[in-house]
Amino acid sequence: MKRDFICIKDWSVEEIEDILSLSEELKRNPQKFAQVLAGKTIALLFEKPSLRTHVSFMVGMYQLGGNAFYLGPEQVKLGVREPIKDIARTLSRYVEGIVLRTFSQENVLEMARYATVPVINGLSDLLHPCQALADIFTIKEKKGKLKGVNLGFIGDGNNVLHSLLYACAKLGINLFIATPKKYQPRREIFEEAKEFAQETKSEISLVKSPLEVAKTAEFLYTDVWVSMGQEREREKRLRDFKGFQINEELIEKAKNNPYILHCLPCHRGEEITEAVIESKYSLVFEQAENRLHVQKAILIRLLS
Ligand code: CP
Ligand code: NVA
């Protein structure tokens, strides 16, 4: 049976821990894995722009001895030239895996349903699971553990937060979230995460203000206020998110000198200031690097 990587909730705690420890080994000793996917090819189908996801999957595949090719927004218009189910079955005859970046989560599910090779979610409007695994890998690198670590998220209850919710709940990280009321994470995802959290005893909660989040956080995470595809809502969003910026004033009030996390790209002067993103506590490029190691681990587990 082929396996997909679409949503962190579908992967067991043991499987996630296995990915994290394989990522550690890949980072320490990449040479050991230089040929493990020799002769294999993956297709990257991206309907939205990308730097990190695009390059880290391409390079990751090369570093494992395999091949990758990229079809960007110019070429990929799912369902326009032909339906997703036909793309899925055609590609499955050529490649050993598909990474899809698209708008609707339904597209990812349909691709996975019809592809006979593993499908990896390289970001949808709903989820960004590869990002969340790289993020918790980064937290583990810094703290040497995950259970009981306090992560704070300030900003938009979007794809990045949704995947973090599952990841934190499954691995015992406490997650305190402050968003404007209209931008809370999806209720059903929040509730599902709370259920996973009961087993690991992690605390997942929506709190009243960014200050409340900052006070307990050991890591402070934010993401853009205007995600890809939301450009038309820009003016409204900038107004709605006022007061949810991670800036020097907020950091001064934080008790634990929190590390700063951001999936990138960031919008300086919107969700975060230049001084904070460039500060010595910022781990954003470690996160970006770790996308490579973690995705190589995912590829090995799915394609080997
Ligand atoms: N964080 C992230 O997914 O970056 P890209 O959009 O550049 O891939
Ligand atoms: N929330 C952002 C994440 C980018 C990596 C977006 O969807 O554009």
PDB file of all heavy atoms in Angstrom, residues 156 158 183 224-227 230 233-242:
ATOM      1  N   ASP A 156      -2.307  34.881  12.131  1.00  0.00           N
ATOM      2  CA  ASP A 156      -3.423  34.337  11.356  1.00  0.00           C
ATOM      3  C   ASP A 156      -3.598  32.842  11.632  1.00  0.00           C
ATOM      4  O   ASP A 156      -2.640  32.072  11.548  1.00  0.00           O
ATOM      5  CB  ASP A 156      -3.126  34.567   9.857  1.00  0.00           C
ATOM      6  CG  ASP A 156      -4.330  34.277   8.968  1.00  0.00           C
ATOM      7  OD1 ASP A 156      -5.438  34.057   9.514  1.00  0.00           O
ATOM      8  OD2 ASP A 156      -4.158  34.271   7.738  1.00  0.00           O
ATOM      9  N   ASN A 158      -4.073  30.141  10.121  1.00  0.00           N
ATOM     10  CA  ASN A 158      -4.076  29.677   8.728  1.00  0.00           C
ATOM     11  C   ASN A 158      -3.476  28.282   8.574  1.00  0.00           C
ATOM     12  O   ASN A 158      -3.371  27.519   9.536  1.00  0.00           O
ATOM     13  CB  ASN A 158      -3.310  30.698   7.887  1.00  0.00           C
ATOM     14  CG  ASN A 158      -1.867  30.813   8.370  1.00  0.00           C
ATOM     15  OD1 ASN A 158      -1.406  30.019   9.197  1.00  0.00           O
ATOM     16  ND2 ASN A 158      -1.147  31.788   7.863  1.00  0.00           N
ATOM     17  N   TYR A 183     -10.089  35.462  12.771  1.00  0.00           N
ATOM     18  CA  TYR A 183      -9.010  34.718  12.119  1.00  0.00           C
ATOM     19  C   TYR A 183      -8.513  33.563  12.977  1.00  0.00           C
ATOM     20  O   TYR A 183      -7.362  33.161  12.896  1.00  0.00           O
ATOM     21  CB  TYR A 183      -7.864  35.672  11.766  1.00  0.00           C
ATOM     22  CG  TYR A 183      -8.284  36.742  10.787  1.00  0.00           C
ATOM     23  CD1 TYR A 183      -8.774  37.969  11.230  1.00  0.00           C
ATOM     24  CD2 TYR A 183      -8.229  36.507   9.415  1.00  0.00           C
ATOM     25  CE1 TYR A 183      -9.171  38.952  10.335  1.00  0.00           C
ATOM     26  CE2 TYR A 183      -8.628  37.480   8.510  1.00  0.00           C
ATOM     27  CZ  TYR A 183      -9.094  38.703   8.975  1.00  0.00           C
ATOM     28  OH  TYR A 183      -9.487  39.668   8.077  1.00  0.00           O
ATOM     29  N   VAL A 224       2.660  35.335   7.775  1.00  0.00           N
ATOM     30  CA  VAL A 224       2.123  36.518   7.092  1.00  0.00           C
ATOM     31  C   VAL A 224       0.632  36.714   7.375  1.00  0.00           C
ATOM     32  O   VAL A 224      -0.098  35.764   7.622  1.00  0.00           O
ATOM     33  CB  VAL A 224       2.322  36.435   5.568  1.00  0.00           C
ATOM     34  CG1 VAL A 224       3.786  36.581   5.215  1.00  0.00           C
ATOM     35  CG2 VAL A 224       1.749  35.138   4.992  1.00  0.00           C
ATOM     36  N   TRP A 225       0.215  37.961   7.324  1.00  0.00           N
ATOM     37  CA  TRP A 225      -1.210  38.280   7.481  1.00  0.00           C
ATOM     38  C   TRP A 225      -1.966  38.087   6.165  1.00  0.00           C
ATOM     39  O   TRP A 225      -3.175  37.910   6.145  1.00  0.00           O
ATOM     40  CB  TRP A 225      -1.371  39.731   7.951  1.00  0.00           C
ATOM     41  CG  TRP A 225      -0.836  39.972   9.331  1.00  0.00           C
ATOM     42  CD1 TRP A 225      -0.595  39.026  10.297  1.00  0.00           C
ATOM     43  CD2 TRP A 225      -0.499  41.231   9.915  1.00  0.00           C
ATOM     44  NE1 TRP A 225      -0.124  39.622  11.441  1.00  0.00           N
ATOM     45  CE2 TRP A 225      -0.053  40.975  11.232  1.00  0.00           C
ATOM     46  CE3 TRP A 225      -0.515  42.547   9.459  1.00  0.00           C
ATOM     47  CZ2 TRP A 225       0.359  41.990  12.091  1.00  0.00           C
ATOM     48  CZ3 TRP A 225      -0.104  43.556  10.313  1.00  0.00           C
ATOM     49  CH2 TRP A 225       0.327  43.280  11.619  1.00  0.00           C
ATOM     50  N   VAL A 226      -1.223  38.188   5.065  1.00  0.00           N
ATOM     51  CA  VAL A 226      -1.850  38.032   3.744  1.00  0.00           C
ATOM     52  C   VAL A 226      -1.169  36.847   3.057  1.00  0.00           C
ATOM     53  O   VAL A 226      -0.056  36.961   2.565  1.00  0.00           O
ATOM     54  CB  VAL A 226      -1.687  39.312   2.887  1.00  0.00           C
ATOM     55  CG1 VAL A 226      -2.448  39.179   1.574  1.00  0.00           C
ATOM     56  CG2 VAL A 226      -2.127  40.551   3.654  1.00  0.00           C
ATOM     57  N   SER A 227      -1.822  35.713   3.077  1.00  0.00           N
ATOM     58  CA  SER A 227      -1.247  34.512   2.476  1.00  0.00           C
ATOM     59  C   SER A 227      -1.422  34.520   0.968  1.00  0.00           C
ATOM     60  O   SER A 227      -2.208  35.299   0.423  1.00  0.00           O
ATOM     61  CB  SER A 227      -1.922  33.261   3.064  1.00  0.00           C
ATOM     62  OG  SER A 227      -1.399  32.964   4.331  1.00  0.00           O
ATOM     63  N   GLN A 230      -4.621  35.505  -1.141  1.00  0.00           N
ATOM     64  CA  GLN A 230      -5.503  36.435  -0.398  1.00  0.00           C
ATOM     65  C   GLN A 230      -5.190  37.893  -0.712  1.00  0.00           C
ATOM     66  O   GLN A 230      -5.626  38.788   0.015  1.00  0.00           O
ATOM     67  CB  GLN A 230      -5.323  36.202   1.113  1.00  0.00           C
ATOM     68  CG  GLN A 230      -5.718  34.810   1.541  1.00  0.00           C
ATOM     69  CD  GLN A 230      -5.379  34.523   2.988  1.00  0.00           C
ATOM     70  OE1 GLN A 230      -4.471  35.127   3.563  1.00  0.00           O
ATOM     71  NE2 GLN A 230      -6.111  33.599   3.591  1.00  0.00           N
ATOM     72  N   GLU A 233      -7.594  40.756  -0.360  1.00  0.00           N
ATOM     73  CA  GLU A 233      -8.082  41.140   0.980  1.00  0.00           C
ATOM     74  C   GLU A 233      -7.040  41.959   1.739  1.00  0.00           C
ATOM     75  O   GLU A 233      -7.212  42.228   2.927  1.00  0.00           O
ATOM     76  CB  GLU A 233      -8.372  39.883   1.813  1.00  0.00           C
ATOM     77  CG  GLU A 233      -9.428  38.973   1.272  1.00  0.00           C
ATOM     78  CD  GLU A 233      -9.425  37.630   2.020  1.00  0.00           C
ATOM     79  OE1 GLU A 233      -9.149  37.599   3.234  1.00  0.00           O
ATOM     80  OE2 GLU A 233      -9.684  36.612   1.364  1.00  0.00           O
ATOM     81  N   ARG A 234      -5.976  42.310   1.085  1.00  0.00           N
ATOM     82  CA  ARG A 234      -4.821  42.897   1.750  1.00  0.00           C
ATOM     83  C   ARG A 234      -5.163  44.069   2.684  1.00  0.00           C
ATOM     84  O   ARG A 234      -4.831  44.044   3.871  1.00  0.00           O
ATOM     85  CB  ARG A 234      -3.803  43.324   0.694  1.00  0.00           C
ATOM     86  CG  ARG A 234      -2.542  43.863   1.281  1.00  0.00           C
ATOM     87  CD  ARG A 234      -1.497  44.163   0.219  1.00  0.00           C
ATOM     88  NE  ARG A 234      -0.439  44.920   0.854  1.00  0.00           N
ATOM     89  CZ  ARG A 234       0.473  44.378   1.644  1.00  0.00           C
ATOM     90  NH1 ARG A 234       0.488  43.082   1.844  1.00  0.00           N
ATOM     91  NH2 ARG A 234       1.378  45.119   2.238  1.00  0.00           N
ATOM     92  N   GLU A 235      -5.851  45.076   2.159  1.00  0.00           N
ATOM     93  CA  GLU A 235      -6.114  46.281   2.958  1.00  0.00           C
ATOM     94  C   GLU A 235      -6.901  45.937   4.227  1.00  0.00           C
ATOM     95  O   GLU A 235      -6.597  46.386   5.318  1.00  0.00           O
ATOM     96  CB  GLU A 235      -6.871  47.327   2.130  1.00  0.00           C
ATOM     97  CG  GLU A 235      -6.055  47.907   0.971  1.00  0.00           C
ATOM     98  CD  GLU A 235      -4.649  48.345   1.401  1.00  0.00           C
ATOM     99  OE1 GLU A 235      -4.544  49.011   2.455  1.00  0.00           O
ATOM    100  OE2 GLU A 235      -3.663  47.998   0.708  1.00  0.00           O
ATOM    101  N   LYS A 236      -7.916  45.121   4.059  1.00  0.00           N
ATOM    102  CA  LYS A 236      -8.764  44.735   5.183  1.00  0.00           C
ATOM    103  C   LYS A 236      -7.961  43.949   6.227  1.00  0.00           C
ATOM    104  O   LYS A 236      -8.041  44.209   7.429  1.00  0.00           O
ATOM    105  CB  LYS A 236      -9.923  43.879   4.659  1.00  0.00           C
ATOM    106  CG  LYS A 236     -10.862  43.407   5.750  1.00  0.00           C
ATOM    107  CD  LYS A 236     -12.000  42.607   5.177  1.00  0.00           C
ATOM    108  CE  LYS A 236     -12.953  42.039   6.209  1.00  0.00           C
ATOM    109  NZ  LYS A 236     -12.700  42.232   7.591  1.00  0.00           N
ATOM    110  N   ARG A 237      -7.162  43.025   5.741  1.00  0.00           N
ATOM    111  CA  ARG A 237      -6.368  42.214   6.650  1.00  0.00           C
ATOM    112  C   ARG A 237      -5.374  43.073   7.435  1.00  0.00           C
ATOM    113  O   ARG A 237      -5.206  42.884   8.634  1.00  0.00           O
ATOM    114  CB  ARG A 237      -5.645  41.099   5.884  1.00  0.00           C
ATOM    115  CG  ARG A 237      -6.569  39.975   5.508  1.00  0.00           C
ATOM    116  CD  ARG A 237      -5.888  38.883   4.727  1.00  0.00           C
ATOM    117  NE  ARG A 237      -6.729  37.696   4.768  1.00  0.00           N
ATOM    118  CZ  ARG A 237      -6.567  36.676   5.616  1.00  0.00           C
ATOM    119  NH1 ARG A 237      -5.555  36.664   6.452  1.00  0.00           N
ATOM    120  NH2 ARG A 237      -7.403  35.670   5.621  1.00  0.00           N
ATOM    121  N   LEU A 238      -4.725  44.017   6.774  1.00  0.00           N
ATOM    122  CA  LEU A 238      -3.767  44.868   7.481  1.00  0.00           C
ATOM    123  C   LEU A 238      -4.467  45.618   8.610  1.00  0.00           C
ATOM    124  O   LEU A 238      -3.906  45.806   9.690  1.00  0.00           O
ATOM    125  CB  LEU A 238      -3.090  45.854   6.521  1.00  0.00           C
ATOM    126  CG  LEU A 238      -2.166  45.250   5.457  1.00  0.00           C
ATOM    127  CD1 LEU A 238      -1.334  46.331   4.776  1.00  0.00           C
ATOM    128  CD2 LEU A 238      -1.247  44.177   6.027  1.00  0.00           C
ATOM    129  N   ARG A 239      -5.695  46.004   8.369  1.00  0.00           N
ATOM    130  CA  ARG A 239      -6.458  46.682   9.435  1.00  0.00           C
ATOM    131  C   ARG A 239      -6.820  45.693  10.553  1.00  0.00           C
ATOM    132  O   ARG A 239      -6.616  45.967  11.726  1.00  0.00           O
ATOM    133  CB  ARG A 239      -7.764  47.264   8.866  1.00  0.00           C
ATOM    134  CG  ARG A 239      -7.625  48.578   8.132  1.00  0.00           C
ATOM    135  CD  ARG A 239      -8.985  49.255   7.955  1.00  0.00           C
ATOM    136  NE  ARG A 239      -9.988  48.411   7.315  1.00  0.00           N
ATOM    137  CZ  ARG A 239     -10.120  48.275   5.982  1.00  0.00           C
ATOM    138  NH1 ARG A 239      -9.316  48.923   5.161  1.00  0.00           N
ATOM    139  NH2 ARG A 239     -11.059  47.500   5.471  1.00  0.00           N
ATOM    140  N   ASP A 240      -7.306  44.519  10.149  1.00  0.00           N
ATOM    141  CA  ASP A 240      -7.797  43.556  11.140  1.00  0.00           C
ATOM    142  C   ASP A 240      -6.695  43.019  12.057  1.00  0.00           C
ATOM    143  O   ASP A 240      -6.954  42.625  13.191  1.00  0.00           O
ATOM    144  CB  ASP A 240      -8.464  42.368  10.435  1.00  0.00           C
ATOM    145  CG  ASP A 240      -9.775  42.766   9.753  1.00  0.00           C
ATOM    146  OD1 ASP A 240     -10.273  43.872  10.026  1.00  0.00           O
ATOM    147  OD2 ASP A 240     -10.280  41.961   8.944  1.00  0.00           O
ATOM    148  N   PHE A 241      -5.477  42.947  11.538  1.00  0.00           N
ATOM    149  CA  PHE A 241      -4.390  42.354  12.322  1.00  0.00           C
ATOM    150  C   PHE A 241      -3.607  43.375  13.159  1.00  0.00           C
ATOM    151  O   PHE A 241      -2.632  43.012  13.811  1.00  0.00           O
ATOM    152  CB  PHE A 241      -3.435  41.571  11.417  1.00  0.00           C
ATOM    153  CG  PHE A 241      -3.956  40.211  11.037  1.00  0.00           C
ATOM    154  CD1 PHE A 241      -4.599  39.995   9.837  1.00  0.00           C
ATOM    155  CD2 PHE A 241      -3.835  39.146  11.917  1.00  0.00           C
ATOM    156  CE1 PHE A 241      -5.105  38.745   9.498  1.00  0.00           C
ATOM    157  CE2 PHE A 241      -4.329  37.891  11.600  1.00  0.00           C
ATOM    158  CZ  PHE A 241      -4.973  37.691  10.374  1.00  0.00           C
ATOM    159  N   LYS A 242      -4.041  44.603  13.125  1.00  0.00           N
ATOM    160  CA  LYS A 242      -3.347  45.635  13.894  1.00  0.00           C
ATOM    161  C   LYS A 242      -3.259  45.204  15.360  1.00  0.00           C
ATOM    162  O   LYS A 242      -4.233  44.707  15.923  1.00  0.00           O
ATOM    163  CB  LYS A 242      -4.120  46.951  13.785  1.00  0.00           C
ATOM    164  CG  LYS A 242      -3.224  48.129  13.685  1.00  0.00           C
ATOM    165  CD  LYS A 242      -3.933  49.362  13.150  1.00  0.00           C
ATOM    166  CE  LYS A 242      -3.014  50.540  13.358  1.00  0.00           C
ATOM    167  NZ  LYS A 242      -3.253  51.256  14.589  1.00  0.00           N
TER     168      LYS A 242
END
